[in-house]
Amino acid sequence: MNAPIVVAALYKFVTLPDYQDLRAPLLEVMTENDIKGTLLLAEEGINGTISGTREGINALIAWLKRDERLSDLEHKESPADEQPFYRTKVKLKKEIVTMGVPQIDPNRQVGTYVDPNAWNDVISDPEVLVIDTRNDYEVAIGSFDGAVDPKTKTFREFPEYVKNHYDPEKHKKVAMFCTGGIRCEKASSYMLSQGFEEVYHLKGGILKYLEEVPSEESKWHGDCFVFDNRVTVKHDLSEGEFEQCHACRHPVSVEDMQSDRYLPGISCPHCWEALPEKTRERAIERQKQIELAKTRNQPHPIGFDQRQLKQE
């Protein structure tokens, strides 16, 4: 990995009753090593994606592993030519990935981990139901052969989706995957709680699969959405060709960018019809702030969050 910036995605479900006390020292170490990105802390563990120099990432990972509870922490790496994040944040949360089902705890019950090099065999089994646990806009740009798209807008919708579509008596084997492994791991805990007997999930997620499985043996098609300014990565983990609409957060393809409905930072074909005039005006003003900040090489707002539409 010769790129000047290393992007590291990490998570671990582990009981951290003192997670609030960890915020300040963790933020200090990130700042000292010029690490950008966001880490989430909750009683159920740690999660996030960060970026920095090789030395900076190594220093942070080493610091985290000094805590015996995180000594076996694993992370996935990919290269970037420039910083994909603008700020350094450590946030305290109720959940490190929000499902909204309080009693679900992967620290107590979890499915069977499947290493990337064994994943092809699992999903090739005709008796296995393969579910993509990511959101609809992520699935739209890439997924595994034969995987079911739940068409969920958020991970909170996953439990209801399972209740409405699957039966433990009929679906004896289930395999799930997500970007880095965290959503499918929590989803496996939920499905076991609902009576599903054989539940598998891809260890390390899609990113680990793309890192370890040669493209000529791959059952993955398309790009993988990532939650930073690269937007997507290809099978070799290099930056993809998608941009992101900063009005609705949807990935924007080269074809989408040719549309009259694509206005950088303001709208795209996926959100054009949903934008009230008031919202459009606010997005235009926000885009002006972004462009101004770029010229000054300053951190800037990512863009207008279309979720605010529901409040207008």
Side-chain angles (χ1 to χ4, degrees):
M1 186 177 295
N2 298 318
I5 299 298
V6 177
V7 182
L10 60 89
Y11 83 91
K12 181 176 176 59
F13 284 107
V14 57
T15 304
L16 300 174
D18 58 339
Y19 73 96
Q20 296 180 342
D21 298 330
L22 297 176
R23 181 182 181 276
L26 177 55
L27 184 60
E28 182 178 354
V29 172
M30 291 175 68
T31 303
E32 288 176 350
N33 289 280
D34 197 25
I35 300 295
K36 306 295 183 183
T38 300
L39 289 176
L40 307 180
L41 291 172
E43 188 168 353
E44 69 176 9
I46 184 172
N47 177 34
T49 305
I50 52 177
S51 59
T53 63
R54 173 78 277 164
E55 294 75 17
I57 294 296
N58 286 350
L60 178 61
I61 297 298
W63 184 87
L64 288 169
K65 288 187 174 183
R66 289 174 194 163
D67 187 325
E68 62 179 13
R69 297 169 298 183
L70 302 174
S71 60
D72 59 348
L73 177 69
E74 296 182 359
H75 69 285
K76 283 78 64 179
E77 293 186 357
S78 54
D81 292 328
E82 57 185 30
Q83 273 286 6
F85 299 109
Y86 298 110
R87 296 176 177 82
T88 302
K89 299 179 181 178
V90 178
K91 296 183 178 181
L92 302 179
K93 295 286 187 176
K94 292 182 178 179
E95 300 178 74
I96 55 173
V97 58
T98 304
M99 175 180 272
V101 184
Q103 66 270 26
I104 299 303
D105 183 2
N107 290 311
R108 295 198 305 262
Q109 183 183 43
V110 73
T112 302
Y113 297 94
V114 179
D115 288 330
N117 57 17
W119 182 247
N120 286 355
D121 291 337
V122 172
I123 65 175
S124 297
D125 184 341
E127 296 184 359
V128 174
L129 169 66
V130 184
I131 305 176
D132 192 328
T133 64
R134 300 172 303 153
N135 299 330
D136 53 2
Y137 62 89
E138 300 172 75
V139 181
I141 61 175
S143 193
F144 282 108
D145 287 346
V148 175
D149 176 8
K151 301 187 184 304
T152 51
K153 301 295 183 184
T154 71
F155 191 48
R156 281 182 174 273
E157 297 177 9
F158 186 79
E160 190 66 21
Y161 166 78
V162 171
K163 287 182 180 180
N164 292 336
H165 291 83
Y166 303 118
D167 182 348
E169 294 299 319
K170 296 179 180 178
H171 303 95
K172 299 294 186 180
K173 299 179 181 180
V174 181
M176 295 175 292
F177 62 92
C178 59
T179 307
I182 185 170
R183 278 179 283 186
C184 55
E185 183 165 339
K186 196 162 194 176
S188 76
S189 181
Y190 171 77
M191 295 196 76
L192 287 172
S193 75
Q194 298 302 299
F196 292 88
E197 296 180 3
E198 289 188 52
V199 182
Y200 304 91
H201 52 103
L202 177 57
K203 187 177 182 180
I206 300 162
L207 293 178
K208 198 65 175 177
Y209 180 91
L210 298 182
E211 178 184 332
E212 296 189 0
V213 178
S215 58
E216 59 270 19
E217 299 175 12
S218 177
K219 291 186 176 296
W220 172 266
H221 296 288
D223 280 15
C224 177
F225 182 86
V226 290
F227 296 88
D228 58 61
N229 287 345
R230 295 172 300 167
V231 185
T232 68
V233 294
K234 301 176 183 178
H235 201 290
D236 62 0
L237 296 178
S238 64
E239 185 172 341
E241 297 180 354
F242 284 79
E243 298 291 338
Q244 188 172 32
C245 175
H246 293 315
C248 69
R249 305 292 198 271
H250 199 287
V252 180
S253 67
V254 174
E255 182 179 357
D256 289 333
M257 286 183 268
Q258 306 306 312
S259 170
D260 293 338
R261 296 185 172 187
Y262 177 64
L263 299 173
I266 300 170
S267 66
C268 74
H270 304 284
C271 66
W272 173 271
E273 295 180 353
L275 288 177
E277 189 57 35
K278 178 181 177 182
T279 302
R280 193 183 309 277
E281 291 173 357
R282 292 167 63 183
I284 291 173
E285 182 58 34
R286 177 62 63 87
Q287 185 63 19
K288 289 180 180 178
Q289 296 175 19
I290 291 174
E291 295 301 329
L292 182 61
K294 283 182 178 179
T295 62
R296 297 174 177 174
N297 196 30
Q298 296 175 338
H300 58 74
I302 296 301
F304 180 74
D305 189 344
Q306 198 190 25
R307 288 172 294 185
Q308 296 181 34
L309 291 177
K310 298 178 181 180
Q311 302 172 6
E312 296 181 346

